[in-house]
Amino acid sequence: MEAAGDIVFRLDAAGRIVSASERTRSLFALQGADATLVALAPEADRAALRAALLDAGAAAQPTRLDVRLHTGSKDVWFDLRLGRLQRSGDAALLVVGRDISAQRDTEERLRHLATHDSLTELPNRLLLSDRIRMVIAHARRSGQNFSVATIGLDGFKKVNDGLGHPVGDAVLRIAAARLRTTLRDSDTLARIGGDEFVAVLPGTCTEAQIKLVTGRLLATLQAPFEVDKHTIYIGASIGLALFPEHAEDEVQLVALADAAMSRAKETGKARCLVYSPRTSSPPEHDISLEAAMFHAVREGEFLLYYQPIVDAPTRRIQGFETLMRWKHPTLGMVPPVRFIPIAETNGLINLLGAWALKAACVQLRQFEEVAKRSLYISVNISPRQFRNDKFLEVLDHALAFSGMSGSQLVLEITEGTLMIDPVHAESILVKMAERQARIAIDDFGTGYSSLAYLKRFPISVLKIDRAFVKDLPDAPKDGAICNAVLDLAKHLGLSVVAEGVETEAQLDYLDQRGCQYIQGYLTGKPMPAHAAMAALREDLYASLMPLEPQAGIR
Ligand code: C2E
Ligand code: CA
Ligand code: CA
């Protein structure tokens, strides 16, 4: 046995090691008389080992057990055989063991291969089913519901066919890594087909939670993919099904999420749809939104709306955010969350964005004439626009054409825009600063977990995302986040705009904590230019009126 490399122990009835072979002694560094076999096993394996010892003591036949034992430096798997020593006076056991770690490793590797996708190392469909079953069992016990999201890359086939499989593979690997870092550790991410991923999201069930998570997933895939000097734009469509509302087993949940995703692809891509019984029926419009957009540009179907940004204490209008609208002849108003991502993917955003910037600057001059004072205008700049090498030219043209000063312009960009290519971003921002244009970080706090960029880049404004304002003043965590942003801004000398303010209570809360600017339905919805001018006139008259008499003095 010694020659075969096996380990050999003799134990007494209490499991103490009475004797052991030379090799065994040195392997386990056995000294003294009181060592027990159980003590050599890691905590997790001890109960099984104790039970096996009892069995072996009682049974006529030897028992077998695979167990880890702690050797000098690491835990090693052994295949143990435990048997009663027939001719020994007291009940004693002989234990013989063989190192099976190599075999275990191979098994582990095979199991990994069978349950993971070799390209991305993510769980495959097999393991996904297992995981969903576990999450279902947990949900039944704890009442914590969950959702299943199917994520399909848009236009992946074009990449694969046009640039070749190696590039396609690289894109899939990057996409997998981006999705994985966007999700929490407790979420499962699997790849179940060519360009299809599935995420299992415990605790993500309300509309707000779903929006937040899927918004992040969509955004992370919209960022360009740099592979072998190619810059590739793909984006994704997402479908969601909820447990237990839509289905209660793993096959059905994935199938329904898939149906919702197909529907999202049919109706314009780059969006997320939650399953509803209607999602599986044929689409009512079979026009492709993308084709319609090119037509819309030629026909001038795009408009700009303006939403007031007011001073919190006085509620006077300080400026407007420009928000794009698409008035489609039959679909009606198509919201920007549906068409901006498509324009971002196909590059149309450069054209639309240039138009919006110029039109907004011209419009501001007209607003100021009505208001009889200086105002500012805020314009959203998408990542692709920001990276376009013509962007500065577009900006200079808009300023020159309108005769507006750069200091009245705020450009809203997201954290992601800065982080895609920080070196390029820095050089552009410096040139913007030369023109005195200010930079606002839109949806602050939702995009990127690093704050280092606030130090590096010349930024003037933080816009607190609606997600943090929505449940104020009753949500302590949201309150804490708003306070932290306000504090941060104060110390860095930045202004703060709170977005999505809908109630007086929200405005009071923010005002009391020093948030200077407010934007939201409470103080003005996005509106066409003529309505914005009416609001400015009212604002002007209000400022000319004497103060209201104090209550009680009538
Ligand atoms: P955003 O820049 O975060 O714009 C704020 C969004 O919040 C707008 O949605 C606005 O209508 C909405 N909002 C404002 N106040 C409230 C409120 O009190 N309650 C609620 N529930 N919502 C409020 P909208 O107009 O649908 O725009 C959506 C997004 O589309 C914008 O988010 C922006 O990212 C993008 N977008 C809009 N116009 C443009 C544009 O001209 N260029 C670019 N690149 N993106 C644009
Ligand atoms: Ca914005
Ligand atoms: Ca925003």
Side-chain angles (χ1 to χ4, degrees), residues 119-120 156 159-160 164-175 191:
L119 181 67
T120 60
F156 177 73
V159 174
N160 228 6
H165 290 280
V167 174
D169 285 354
V171 166
L172 287 172
R173 270 194 292 261
I174 300 171
R191 175 168 172 242

Side-chain angles (χ1 to χ4, degrees), residues 211 303-305 307 321-325 334-341 344 349 352-353 355-357 379-383 385 412 414 442-443 463 465-466 470 498-503 506 519-526:
K211 271 199 183 141
L303 315 168
L304 292 182
Y305 270 31
Q307 185 175 28
E321 174 172 359
T322 313
L323 294 161
M324 209 181 285
R325 293 291 178 265
V334 184
V337 287
R338 288 198 51 197
F339 68 81
I340 298 278
E344 175 77 7
I349 193 69
L352 281 175
W355 162 76
L357 190 61
V379 181
N380 292 290
I381 305 295
S382 84
Q385 240 182 309
E412 298 193 4
T414 58
D442 206 351
D443 309 337
K463 297 194 77 172
D465 192 67
R466 190 173 86 85
K470 199 170 51 71
E499 292 186 310
V501 175
E502 296 182 354
T503 67
Q506 290 166 348
Q519 176 181 358
Y521 293 172
L522 176 69
T523 50
K525 291 199 171 183

Side-chain angles (χ1 to χ4, degrees), residues 360-370 402-404 408:
C361 292
V362 171
Q363 188 61 61
L364 182 73
R365 300 301 303 268
Q366 207 184 352
F367 285 164
E368 289 183 328
E369 257 170 55
V370 172
S402 62
M404 186 185 111
Q408 290 173 282

Side-chain angles (χ1 to χ4, degrees), residues 67-199:
V67 77
R68 282 168 297 178
L69 294 177
H70 194 72
T71 70
S73 54
K74 58 182 196 304
D75 288 343
V76 175
W77 278 101
F78 287 96
D79 165 17
L80 294 188
R81 282 143 209 261
L82 312 101
R84 220 165 44 190
L85 277 176
Q86 297 297 346
R87 256 177 284 164
S88 148
D90 37 29
L93 292 176
L94 183 68
V95 178
V96 182
R98 177 159 295 171
D99 180 343
I100 52 163
S101 27
Q103 188 186 331
R104 276 260 167 181
D105 277 356
T106 315
E107 280 169 15
E108 188 51 48
R109 260 207 306 283
L110 287 176
R111 205 173 10 247
H112 187 87
L113 280 176
T115 52
H116 288 74
D117 161 42
S118 57
L119 181 67
T120 60
E121 288 290 318
L122 292 176
N124 63 14
R125 200 183 269 275
L126 202 69
L127 186 53
L128 174 70
S129 297
D130 262 8
R131 295 273 176 88
I132 301 182
R133 271 197 298 273
M134 273 163 56
V135 176
I136 290 175
H138 180 258
R140 291 231 161 88
R141 264 182 283 119
S142 69
Q144 188 200 46
N145 292 336
F146 67 96
S147 52
V148 171
T150 312
I151 305 155
L153 303 184
D154 292 338
F156 177 73
K157 197 174 171 307
K158 263 193 261 173
V159 174
N160 228 6
D161 295 350
L163 301 173
H165 290 280
V167 174
D169 285 354
V171 166
L172 287 172
R173 270 194 292 261
I174 300 171
R178 286 191 191 169
L179 290 171
R180 188 60 267 180
T181 46
T182 307
L183 294 168
R184 294 168 303 184
D185 286 347
S186 53
D187 301 333
T188 295
L189 178 69
R191 175 168 172 242
I192 61 164
D195 57 1
E196 205 171 317
F197 297 88
V198 172

Side-chain angles (χ1 to χ4, degrees), residues 483-552:
N483 284 320
V485 175
L486 288 165
D487 211 40
L488 182 72
K490 192 166 102 195
H491 289 105
L492 294 174
L494 308 173
S495 325
V496 177
V497 180
E499 292 186 310
V501 175
E502 296 182 354
T503 67
E504 294 287 345
Q506 290 166 348
L507 190 148
D508 283 347
Y509 183 95
L510 291 158
D511 183 22
Q512 275 161 25
R513 283 159 185 80
C515 178
Q516 199 185 349
Y517 299 110
I518 297 290
Q519 176 181 358
Y521 293 172
L522 176 69
T523 50
K525 291 199 171 183
M527 55 187 111
H530 64 85
M533 285 191 278
L536 284 170
R537 261 181 226 113
E538 226 169 84
D539 189 275
L540 174 64
Y541 298 145
S543 74
L544 298 174
M545 296 284 209
L547 284 174
E548 273 180 35
Q550 299 237 309

